[in-house]
Amino acid sequence: MTQTPEVAVAMDWGGTWARAAVVDRGGNFQWQSRVANAAGASKDQLLEVAGNLLTEAIEQSGSRWLAGVGVAVAGPVDSETGTLFDPPNLPLLDGVSLKALWEPSLGCPVLVGNDANLAALGEYQFGAGRVSREQPVPPRTLVYMTVSTGIGGGVVDRGQMFLGANGLAVEIGHMSIDNGDSAPACSCGSRGCLESLASGTAIARIAAERVSGEDSRILEQAGGKVEAITSQMVFDAAAQGDGLANAILDGVVFALAVGLTNVLHLYNPDLVVLGGGVTNGLIQLDLLPRIQALMMERAMSKRHRDFRLVPSQLGDAVGLAGAAALVWQESGGPMSVKS
Ligand SMILES: [Zn+2]
């Protein structure tokens, strides 16, 4: 009988931290650690620090058989070669193949993917889509959307990530929602995108624009300083019944519902998973049912309405879980979906 791999090493490499974990086939984290990307570090220094963290993770996996290393990075990734293109958080790594670089030195397969696509795969295998007694079959089509400083997402269809020709599919935050003359500018260069209307950054900006002259708890929370307003302050003020905060969040809920209705029509998901800090704020105020109700109202058919809207189960571990899920998928799938 051949030995089956016991653990995967996962890395989630963001703009501030490189995080790594040793993850078993059930998605359980056996060890985890992180290192900061040093400010002003050169490309070689960044790669060395992250590479050392992976070496440490592999050491921590001990004598257990390692299936491989999975790495999640923001931005487009060539899934064959593991090459990064214009990674927004790590611009120095443009054109670098982490696979070519690390496979020889680490001595195991290295798989690289876009963090939002991998987050969807992580939720599919180890989070909201996980097969359980309550959910005896996996979702056919899972859409994951993270609403935090920005808005991103991914789609897993029948167990496979939907990547697009150049790995750039499902830029869910940049679907156009508002095409009016006063639509706000978006970080992508366009106007009126979902991200410019409903991200944490957008909520803080809208509050700063509207709070002046108003007697609002938002400004109170910010110590009277418009520039200190955060999206969390808007959620806190709304929870205390502040009218302006609730009006701002009405707009956010509407924009998200319109965007997610587009998602229903594009992908026909049976499971929609929402993650990120803004989602946590919406959950605190019990606003997910309102988003779902608006989606139901706008969806074009009964079959498009046949979906569940649920919060992420993995929180900020979703990128690591997704990177591990990629390794398990490439090495024959996790135990839980073995036929
Ligand atoms: Zn945009």
Side-chain angles (χ1 to χ4, degrees), residues 165-179:
N166 293 308
L168 288 170
V170 204
E171 280 292 356
I172 206 164
H174 300 286
M175 68 173 97
S176 188
I177 304 294
D178 180 352
N179 60 3

Side-chain angles (χ1 to χ4, degrees), residues 88-103:
N89 297 329
L90 298 159
L92 289 173
L93 302 189
D94 181 33
V96 171
S97 164
L98 297 178
K99 185 183 175 70
L101 184 76
W102 282 337
E103 271 188 354

Side-chain angles (χ1 to χ4, degrees), residues 173-174 186-190 193 195:
H174 300 286
C186 183
S187 63
C188 70
S190 184
C193 300
E195 182 169 298

Side-chain angles (χ1 to χ4, degrees), residues 233-318:
M233 291 171 189
V234 178
F235 283 114
D236 291 344
Q240 293 164 19
D242 181 73
L244 177 62
N246 279 295
I248 291 168
L249 293 180
D250 279 349
V252 169
V253 162
F254 185 74
L256 289 172
V258 171
L260 287 169
T261 308
N262 293 342
V263 163
L264 292 184
H265 293 152
L266 282 171
Y267 300 109
N268 183 209
D270 49 352
L271 188 62
V272 179
V273 184
L274 296 185
V278 169
T279 297
N280 293 337
L282 296 169
I283 291 167
Q284 277 161 24
L285 296 171
D286 199 25
L287 290 172
L288 291 199
R290 266 184 59 201
I291 293 176
Q292 172 145 0
L294 284 165
M295 290 166 73
M296 290 293 196
E297 240 175 78
R298 299 174 76 94
M300 66 186 285
S301 81
K302 187 170 166 288
R303 289 198 173 265
H304 286 98
R305 285 182 209 109
D306 189 13
F307 71 95
R308 290 190 301 128
L309 179 71
V310 299
S312 160
Q313 287 190 6
L314 298 172
D316 69 353
V318 72

